Structure formats: structure tokens, C-alpha cells
Amino acid sequence: GQQVMQIPQYQHVQEGEDFTTYCNSSTTLSNIQWYKQRPGGHPVFLIQLVKSGEVKKQKRLTFQFGEAKKNSSLHITATQTTDVGTYFCAGPRSNDYKLSFGAGTTVTVRA
Amino acid sequence: KAGVTQTPRYLIKTRGQQVTLSCSPISGHRSVSWYQQTPGQGLQFLFEYFSETQRNKGNFPGRFSGRQFSNSRSEMNVSTLELGDSALYLCASSLALAGGVTYNEQFFGPGTRLTVL
């Protein structure tokens, strides 16, 4: 069945640096969603990408959907301590719309 | 608008028992999905209900079941609990379309932390 893979699993970042987390699917996705879960909290929706090659920005966060709609990335610039948490990507399969979440990238920030 | 609510927030059970978890979606949301979150397995999709019908199901044994009521509230039941069922159970609601064409953003509740001893 479909698997959504995320790398890296852990990202230790120096405050002020940039980093990117990647999401890859074995099958085509109708859309890709990104969520953030703070420690002790629940996942919170960040954004949804639908179109092939789509790029969206939210302040220091840049989200991209691949041309083949099988991969996506989240790039964070000038990391801040408020960026701490686990970032999940999720995509519904095009055939049966089951939503599959990646394992997440857990981000810690060194001040 | 009130967010997604889940009850109870914490639960301790013993092996072999059964448990029922409840989820109230955001008003107007007809789709409710359930997820199991564990440190080792991440977020695993259990099932999705739309208009009282199970529309999608993940790869969980039959001990895991659910239902949705006419007011969109949903319950999840786990029978014959096992130690491995200890997890955070998250419910999420969304404005999913009737045809299941696409998943809209999921609004998660705070979760029910289930511990099986």
C-alpha cells in the first residue's frame, strides 16, 4: 500500500539557521497537507498544496509540491525556538482517498 | 466556533477490557477521522466516518471499531485491550466533500491518552 516517507526523522538546528524536511510518496497524491505538532499538543494544520509544482509561503516557511505530485518539501529559514515541534506531511491516495501521514520530522532548536 | 473535543482525556485500562472514546467535531463538519499515535509508529489512520457511514478504514484489527451519529459525533471502541494499544488516540474533523473527492484540512482534537496495564 501507499507509504508516505519523511526525512529526516530528527533535525537539530542552530537558531537562525535554515533547514528542509522532505516528504515522498510511493504513489501520486491528489494533494499534500502539512501539520505541526508542538510537544504535548495535537497536530495543527499548516497548509495544503494541490497543484503540480505549487509553491506556497507562510512567513519563514516555504512549502513545495513536486511536479509529479509524489513529493513535497518544507523549508524553514532563520529557525526560531517557536519552530520546535514535529512536522508531518499527509496525503490522500488518488484511488481511495485514505489519508497517509509521514512519520514526521522532529525539530529541536539550539539557542 | 468551538474546536474538536474528545472525552475522556486520559484513561487507564487493563488487558482484556474494552474502551469507548468519544469525539465531538466542529459544528458543520460531517467527516470524522480517528488516528492512533505512538512514538514508534507515528500517526496511523484508523477510520473515517462521513454521514454515519464508514468511508475509509486503515489496517487495524477488528477489535477497533467506530460509529458516527446523526449529529456527526463519533465514538471509537476497542475491545479486548492489549498492551500495545497504549497510545494517544486523536480524532479529527473536516469539511470533507460528500463524494470523497478530496480531503480538506483536518482539525484535530486534544486526544485521549489510553494506557493499558
Side-chain angles (χ1 to χ4, degrees), chain A residues 9 30-31 33 35 37 40-45 48 88 92 96-103, chain B residues 35 37 42-43 45 56-59 88 90 99-106 108-111:
Chain A
Q9 187 177 0
S30 58
N31 66 70
Q33 300 169 16
Y35 294 79
Q37 184 174 22
H42 56 273
V44 174
F45 176 83
Q48 177 172 277
F88 294 96
D96 62 9
Y97 310 112
K98 285 184 183 179
L99 195 62
S100 177
F101 276 80
Chain B
Y35 299 87
Q37 187 173 34
L43 269 167
F45 174 76
N56 273 310
K57 189 177 189 306
N59 298 321
L88 178 67
L90 291 160
V101 175
T102 185
Y103 271 87
N104 302 105
E105 63 179 282
Q106 305 271 298
F108 283 85

Side-chain angles (χ1 to χ4, degrees), chain B residues 13-57:
Chain B
K13 292 285 187 179
T14 56
R15 279 181 298 175
Q17 288 187 308
Q18 75 165 23
V19 66
T20 299
L21 312 181
S22 181
C23 171
S24 292
I26 290 172
S27 177
H29 286 192
R30 295 164 65 187
S31 169
V32 174
S33 298
W34 288 89
Y35 299 87
Q36 181 194 66
Q37 187 173 34
T38 58
Q41 297 296 319
L43 269 167
Q44 299 292 314
F45 174 76
L46 280 155
F47 27 66
E48 185 228 358
Y49 285 88
F50 183 87
S51 292
E52 303 178 65
T53 300
Q54 188 181 87
R55 194 162 63 170
N56 273 310
K57 189 177 189 306

Side-chain angles (χ1 to χ4, degrees), chain A:
Chain A
Q2 173 206 9
Q3 281 195 340
V4 174
M5 309 297 289
Q6 263 186 276
I7 54 171
Q9 187 177 0
Y10 299 99
Q11 184 80 54
H12 308 290
V13 188
Q14 181 71 42
E15 190 174 17
E17 289 185 342
D18 303 350
F19 76 90
T20 303
T21 175
Y22 300 90
C23 180
N24 297 295
S25 170
S26 56
T27 59
T28 302
L29 301 169
S30 58
N31 66 70
I32 190 88
Q33 300 169 16
W34 285 89
Y35 294 79
K36 177 182 178 181
Q37 184 174 22
R38 295 182 186 274
H42 56 273
V44 174
F45 176 83
L46 293 176
I47 208 160
Q48 177 172 277
L49 305 172
V50 179
K51 298 176 184 176
S52 168
E54 188 171 12
V55 178
K56 286 188 177 180
K57 287 191 174 185
Q58 286 181 350
K59 298 182 180 179
R60 296 179 294 101
L61 278 61
T62 301
F63 303 84
Q64 188 166 8
F65 201 9
E67 294 290 339
K69 301 183 78 172
K70 286 187 175 182
N71 55 71
S72 180
S73 64
L74 160 59
H75 181 77
I76 299 181
T77 58
T79 304
Q80 299 177 359
T81 55
T82 54
D83 296 324
V84 164
T86 300
Y87 294 83
F88 294 96
C89 63
R93 294 193 297 195
S94 297
N95 52 352
D96 62 9
Y97 310 112
K98 285 184 183 179
L99 195 62
S100 177
F101 276 80
T105 294
T106 299
V107 176
T108 54
V109 179
R110 298 190 300 274

Side-chain angles (χ1 to χ4, degrees), chain B residues 3-8 20-26 29 31-35 67-69 71-76 89-94 107-112:
Chain B
V4 177
T5 57
Q6 290 186 246
T7 55
T20 299
L21 312 181
S22 181
C23 171
S24 292
I26 290 172
H29 286 192
S31 169
V32 174
S33 298
W34 288 89
Y35 299 87
R67 59 178 175 169
Q68 187 180 34
F69 302 96
N71 61 357
S72 293
R73 191 177 70 85
S74 178
E75 287 182 347
M76 191 193 94
Y89 289 89
L90 291 160
C91 160
S93 73
S94 74
F107 292 84
F108 283 85
T112 294

